[in-house]
Amino acid sequence: MSGHSHEVEEGLAFLPKFDAAGLVTCVATDAASGDVLMVAHMNDEALRKTIATGEAWYFSRSRNALWRKGETSGQTQRVVEIRTDCDQDALWLRVEQIGAACHTGRRSCFYRKVEPEGGIATLVFVDAERLFDPGDVYKE
Amino acid sequence: MSGHSHEVEEGLAFLPKFDAAGLVTCVATDAASGDVLMVAHMNDEALRKTIATGEAWYFSRSRNALWRKGETSGQTQRVVEIRTDCDQDALWLRVEQIGAACHTGRRSCFYRKVEPEGGIATLVFVDAERLFDPGDVYKE
């Protein structure tokens, strides 16, 4: 397996590998249930603020802005544990999610499963009840 | 929340949003424990093969090649469920992992946690025992 750095994979130095856009991929899971709540990104500043405050900060690619999770909705994430993967280009956050992680008002962003149906895959809603009405929460 | 497509977020059509490199981000979790095993990527072909075969296929960015998980190591992933997120640019695979998901021989790629220590974050190994010796498995 060429191209793997021993220091990055086996060392104790935290060396997050930001991509060309300056981001690492983050997976947030519910510390209690293990469910995946969301996949998002952090830049260096979001990561520093997350570590310093114990609350999840991300970087929104669509809004091109640093973002404290729940700053508008109140649906914050308290970080229980952060892990990094072998090549340190992804982070796993185990969090205590207040309310809903998804901007659609659902607990998790992953509220639809992929169902193969005769060669064509379609979606089926699952665990999709809304905990809040996004129309009430996000007023612009 | 401008920029969100109702069809993408609330529809039943599976419309995976591949990035500029033709990839979607995939999170594989252990269907039994809920632990995150790995974060990887799929191109359209990997996704089609995964759905068709019920085994996880990915696209390796470092090797620039389609890759059946476990094709060298034997550590395959049987897919229990695939979910897509609100904007359909990420997939969550719940899998039955044979042996170790990580090329380092560990069950999960996330075998180190980030430990804040006086402003500097360091890593601590956790759940890091090796299930195989990568030197035996990956001979080049």
Side-chain angles (χ1 to χ4, degrees), chain A residues 17-83:
Chain A
K17 193 162 84 187
F18 298 98
D19 67 12
L23 303 174
V24 286
T25 301
C26 304
V27 181
T29 65
D30 185 317
S33 70
D35 286 348
V36 177
L37 296 171
M38 56 190 283
V39 171
H41 298 82
M42 287 184 188
N43 65 357
D44 181 61
E45 189 180 0
L47 178 55
R48 286 174 189 276
K49 284 179 180 285
T50 299
I51 291 172
T53 66
E55 284 206 296
W57 289 69
Y58 297 105
F59 187 86
S60 167
R61 295 181 300 177
S62 59
R63 287 180 283 131
N64 199 42
L66 192 71
W67 153 51
R68 182 172 67 81
K69 177 67 185 161
E71 66 190 0
T72 302
S73 67
Q75 320 284 293
T76 54
Q77 292 179 341
R78 194 182 75 79
V79 177
V80 175
E81 187 180 78
I82 304 174
R83 293 200 189 189

Side-chain angles (χ1 to χ4, degrees), chain A residues 1 9 82 111 114 140, chain B residues 1 9 82 106 111 114 140:
Chain A
M1 301 296 279
E9 295 188 347
I82 304 174
Y111 49 83
V114 178
E140 283 185 275
Chain B
M1 300 296 278
E9 295 189 346
I82 304 175
R106 284 131 177 155
Y111 50 82
V114 177
E140 285 184 276

